[in-house]
Amino acid sequence: MAETSGRLSGPVEIVGTGLIGTSIALACRRAGLEVLLTDTDPDHVRTASGLGAGRPRTPDDVPQLVVVAVPPDALGAAITATLDAAGPDTVVTDVGSVKAAPLAAVAGHPAVSRYVGSHPMAGTEHSGPLSASAALFDGRPWAVTPGPEATPAAARLVEALVVLCGAVPVPLSPAEHDRAVARTSHVPHLMASLVAGTLAGASADHLALSGTGVRDVTRVAGGDPRLYSQIIGGNAGAVAALLTEVRQRLDLAIEAVSGDDRAGLESLLAYGQAGTRAIPGKHGTAPQPMEAVRVSVPDHPGELARLFADAGASGVNIEDVRIDHDPGRPVGLVELDVVAARAEELRVALESNGWTTHR
Amino acid sequence: MAETSGRLSGPVEIVGTGLIGTSIALACRRAGLEVLLTDTDPDHVRTASGLGAGRPRTPDDVPQLVVVAVPPDALGAAITATLDAAGPDTVVTDVGSVKAAPLAAVAGHPAVSRYVGSHPMAGTEHSGPLSASAALFDGRPWAVTPGPEATPAAARLVEALVVLCGAVPVPLSPAEHDRAVARTSHVPHLMASLVAGTLAGASADHLALSGTGVRDVTRVAGGDPRLYSQIIGGNAGAVAALLTEVRQRLDLAIEAVSGDDRAGLESLLAYGQAGTRAIPGKHGTAPQPMEAVRVSVPDHPGELARLFADAGASGVNIEDVRIDHDPGRPVGLVELDVVAARAEELRVALESNGWTTHR
């Protein structure tokens, strides 16, 4: 491959103008790059183009970088076809949720040194170009996973795309990436789904006792079963290995509960508590001890705004928010997560504005 | 037991002036009832009394209702002692997280007809009287679980307490309650803990790819291991039975993933999705289709307040909020859950105020 400066100057070709592809296209247009659009469905190209995401690719175009953003099961073939057709300096990346399988699909390809897979940790349960946004990737992690044959220049170009889209490049090998997302995404999703499955068909009486905990645990299980079966199924090796580990822990839990082994149960729960503290904090800093400030908020329009205005005036930064809904009175419990050292300060400030807080 | 009107007129005695006991006391004082305080620790009584929760009980006092609010492992003995000492018209309840075991502890007691267990679905990771609040139970479900010997009048009095505390009485048998909370609280907590356990000791590279999903799934696992081992261990029968069911589903999941059975995997995920839709919606109504409106919010003080002020002005009610933090740019993604039919209205309103939303 000819020497390049590593600077992303365009044109960038997007293959697959769905949610992710069109969002990348919009981010590139936002930065002033020329964007070429390709899709098996000409209507999608027309729609994306109409949104300002670029123009249809013509045979004479020579992209600097091609982003393959097709559905999981079509990925290997689409990357291969793109490498087949690519010019001698064109770099190719993809944005699929697993990285080892696409790399294996192009192993031995003469142009494999110009392929660097990647994976933006972003997206919604929506799909299609109409759901796209140039800001979809702002502040998100975006894994960059060069295989052993990839040139450093190709990897740098893909990282440049990541930065242009406002995301944070996270370099990983393809296999490491797949193990990572098994742990941080696929297995949590599956386990949430198994727990949620115990609720389907439960009696209304039982479900009446639902609180914040079960809502949090099962929320992600609301996602599209077809899409996630493709994603999780495409990472079968890493997922199966980790599920087997979880099953061993589940066996220990069943033993501890059935055998009235309180110490064993406490030990399992303590390990889980340690795990929650391992998740990175805001902006990649070490996790800080957080505390939830609980406030009763009447369910009238404007009350949440008033709460946040008062909280904002206190100067204490709100890291996260949860609103709990339960049958009965139209009063919700809002939980504001703040750095523990400032929790009392926020409570006092809110109480001075007439809010009811709970210690 | 003498005929009673069923009206809760007091005095109410609180045995155990911790978080829950003191909060009930404060709610009763808020309603103008006389409250008597008992605790093995005289300092706790002094503190609760100083907070306005009541006065120390004297030997001449005759409570109308006694609420036993001691830690799980002391519960059976405390209810027995209370029934031993109670006058002929005094009704006794408790607020423990499991109901069959306390009832079994008082089986055959001459005064058992005046005991009606209950369980408020409320509370925080804090403990002790200083964390108490009269509003802790506002809008929460509160199970009322009379055993077969309890008189209807005793059950009505306990329900009156529930209503006075601002909560919603949910009548259930003790065994049904224990099965319900196994499903809606204990098993989700345990499973969250097992997933979180896979994160403890994971490399920082892996954890860098964490998103909203894993945070939601594992959040509840941050709770105190000692307390939850008592609670979950105290409901061993119902929990073990449900865990065994989950283990069977986990086996099916491992089989489907390892065997590349996409249809089987999709079917498991679909069952989970159905489960998320079974959880009751706001104020006990049927769940409405919700949609998340996503907004990029710069991480400056006041920005959240500005967002909520603009959202409030739109007239679209915000049902839930999530704030996603990821390494990199100081821009957070805020997700506002609204009724699906009004999601677009909110987006348009926010965009007209300069916010960046994502479809």
Side-chain angles (χ1 to χ4, degrees), chain B residues 41-80:
Chain B
D41 183 343
D43 280 339
H44 276 180
V45 173
R46 243 190 302 277
T47 305
S49 183
L51 292 170
R55 61 168 178 81
R57 168 166 184 172
T58 65
D60 294 338
D61 285 314
V62 184
Q64 182 191 25
L65 172 69
V66 181
V67 181
V68 179
V70 303
D73 287 348
L75 200 48
I79 300 171
T80 301

Side-chain angles (χ1 to χ4, degrees), chain A residues 65-119:
Chain A
L65 173 69
V66 181
V67 181
V68 180
V70 304
D73 286 348
L75 199 49
I79 300 171
T80 301
T82 303
L83 283 174
D84 286 344
D89 298 322
T90 300
V91 172
V92 177
T93 187
D94 75 298
V95 293
S97 300
V98 291
K99 303 317 319 163
L103 183 64
V106 297
H109 194 289
V112 72
S113 67
R114 287 180 283 114
Y115 165 66
V116 175
S118 73
H119 176 209

Side-chain angles (χ1 to χ4, degrees), chain A residues 183-262:
Chain A
R183 192 181 296 272
T184 61
S185 176
H186 301 160
V187 165
H189 188 120
L190 251 173
M191 298 311 295
S193 214
L194 296 187
V195 173
T198 69
L199 304 174
S203 73
D205 284 346
H206 280 208
L207 294 165
L209 300 191
S210 299
T212 345
V214 65
R215 288 182 171 97
D216 280 348
V217 173
T218 58
R219 180 172 298 119
V220 74
D224 174 24
R226 172 155 302 179
L227 172 64
Y228 283 98
S229 66
Q230 281 192 43
I231 290 174
I232 294 172
N235 195 16
V239 169
L242 195 51
L243 283 181
T244 304
E245 203 184 300
V246 173
R247 182 172 57 186
Q248 283 162 5
R249 292 169 196 267
L250 178 53
D251 283 341
L252 290 175
I254 293 174
E255 240 180 79
V257 169
S258 312
D260 200 31
D261 174 11
R262 293 293 176 88

Side-chain angles (χ1 to χ4, degrees), chain B residues 23 31 41 68 84 95 155 179 181 202 211 220 249 255:
Chain B
S23 296
D41 183 343
V68 179
D84 287 344
V95 293
R179 281 193 287 273
V181 293
V220 75
R249 292 169 195 268
E255 240 179 80

Side-chain angles (χ1 to χ4, degrees), chain A residues 244-308:
Chain A
T244 304
E245 203 184 300
V246 173
R247 182 172 57 186
Q248 283 162 5
R249 292 169 196 267
L250 178 53
D251 283 341
L252 290 175
I254 293 174
E255 240 180 79
V257 169
S258 312
D260 200 31
D261 174 11
R262 293 293 176 88
L265 181 55
E266 187 177 337
S267 159
L268 276 169
L269 293 170
Y271 201 56
Q273 190 188 47
T276 64
R277 294 169 172 168
I279 298 173
K282 193 171 188 183
H283 306 320
T285 57
Q288 298 194 65
M290 307 294 295
E291 192 167 317
V293 172
R294 288 168 191 77
V295 191
S296 287
V297 179
D299 186 26
H300 306 142
E303 287 293 309
L304 264 183
R306 191 165 73 82
L307 174 65
F308 277 89

Side-chain angles (χ1 to χ4, degrees), chain A residues 183 198 247 251 319 325, chain B residues 183 198 247 251 319 325:
Chain A
R183 192 181 296 272
T198 69
R247 182 172 57 186
D251 283 341
E319 305 285 333
H325 305 292
Chain B
R183 192 181 295 271
T198 69
R247 191 192 183 288
D251 283 341
E319 305 286 332
H325 305 293

